[in-house]
Amino acid sequence: MNCETLYAFILATAALAVSPGPDNIYVLTQSITNGKKHGLATVAGLISGCLVHTTLLAFGISALIKANHQIFFLIKLFGACYLLYLAFQVFRGDSDIRLSKGGAPQKTLGQLFKQGFVMNVLNPKVTIFFLAFFPAFLFSDQLSNVVQFYILGLLFMMVSALIFGGIAILSGVISDYLIKNSRTGSILKWLQILVFVGIAVYLLLSDK
C-alpha cells in the first residue's frame, strides 16, 4: 500500500474543496440565508450523493481495467485532458466570488438534504470528474480496484464533508472576509488551476 499516494489524494481533495465552486458556494449561500443547520443539511445531501458516483466508478471502471489495460490507459488520457480543460475553464472564468444573502425561499432541513443529494447525483459532471480524478490515485497492488475506489470515495467524502461543514459553520465569518478581501477569489482561482493541472500531469506520468 502506497500511503504517499493517499496523502496526495487527501491534499488534492482538500484543495479542490476549498477552491470556489458551485457546491461550496451553494453551501455558503444556504448557510448565510437560512442558518448553519440548513447549510449542514445541504452538505449532508451533497456528500451522500458522492456515494452513488463512487459506486458507478468502482464497478464500471474496475471491470474495464480487468478486461483491458489499454482501455484503462485511454481512460487516464481522457481524464488528464478533461482536467486540463477544467483548468482552462477556471482560467477563463471570473475570479470574483458572488454571494446572495437574500431572496432564497426558506426550506426545511429534509428538503435541503434532498435537494443537495439530487443536485449531486443528477450532475453528470461529477461522474466525469470522479472518472478523471480517482484513477490517478490507485494505491495498492494487493487490494482490488473496487475496494480502492471505495476507499478513495470515502476519503473524498470525509475531507469534503469536513471542509464544507466548516464553511457552513463559519459562513458569517467567511462571507465577511470574502467581501473585505477581494484578492481571495483570485488566489483560490489559481489554487484550483494548479490542482487541476497537477493532477492531470500526475495522471499522465503515473504507471498505474
Side-chain angles (χ1 to χ4, degrees):
M1 182 179 294
N2 190 339
C3 292
E4 292 181 359
T5 301
L6 288 177
Y7 296 149
F9 178 82
I10 291 171
L11 287 175
T13 299
L16 290 170
V18 169
S19 302
D23 286 347
N24 51 19
I25 295 298
Y26 180 65
V27 169
L28 184 56
T29 301
Q30 288 295 333
S31 301
I32 294 170
T33 304
N34 299 317
K36 297 173 184 178
K37 288 184 180 180
H38 292 76
L40 290 173
T42 303
V43 172
L46 289 169
I47 298 303
S48 298
C50 290
L51 190 59
V52 176
H53 296 289
T54 300
T55 300
L56 292 173
L57 178 70
F59 288 98
I61 301 305
S62 294
L64 289 176
I65 295 172
K66 188 175 181 179
N68 193 323
H69 286 278
Q70 290 181 336
I71 293 178
F72 185 51
F73 171 77
L74 292 176
I75 290 172
K76 290 201 305 176
L77 184 62
F78 162 78
C81 291
Y82 180 69
L83 289 166
L84 291 174
Y85 166 76
L86 291 179
F88 180 67
Q89 291 293 99
V90 174
F91 173 76
R92 290 182 56 192
D94 193 349
S95 61
D96 291 338
I97 301 174
R98 298 180 178 85
L99 300 175
S100 173
K101 294 191 177 184
Q106 184 77 26
K107 296 182 179 179
T108 66
L109 298 178
Q111 286 174 327
L112 284 173
F113 175 88
K114 181 180 178 181
Q115 183 171 313
F117 178 81
V118 172
M119 190 171 86
N120 187 288
V121 169
L122 296 184
N123 186 354
K125 291 182 179 180
V126 179
T127 302
I128 296 172
F129 176 74
F130 273 37
L131 174 61
F133 185 43
F134 282 32
F137 297 95
L138 293 174
F139 56 90
S140 174
D141 294 327
Q142 286 76 41
L143 296 174
S144 71
N145 290 321
V146 171
V147 172
Q148 290 184 74
F149 278 129
Y150 266 110
I151 291 174
L152 293 175
L154 291 174
L155 284 173
F156 183 91
M157 292 166 65
M158 288 171 58
V159 173
S160 298
L162 286 173
I163 293 176
F164 284 12
I167 289 173
I169 293 171
L170 301 174
S171 55
V173 176
I174 292 173
S175 63
D176 290 342
Y177 180 82
L178 291 176
I179 292 170
K180 293 177 183 177
N181 296 272
S182 58
R183 289 186 59 197
T184 303
S186 180
I187 293 171
L188 292 174
K189 171 182 176 177
W190 283 102
L191 172 64
Q192 195 172 22
I193 291 172
L194 181 63
V195 172
F196 281 144
V197 172
I199 297 171
V201 172
Y202 180 82
L203 192 57
L204 288 173
L205 297 179
S206 66
D207 56 359
K208 300 182 185 66

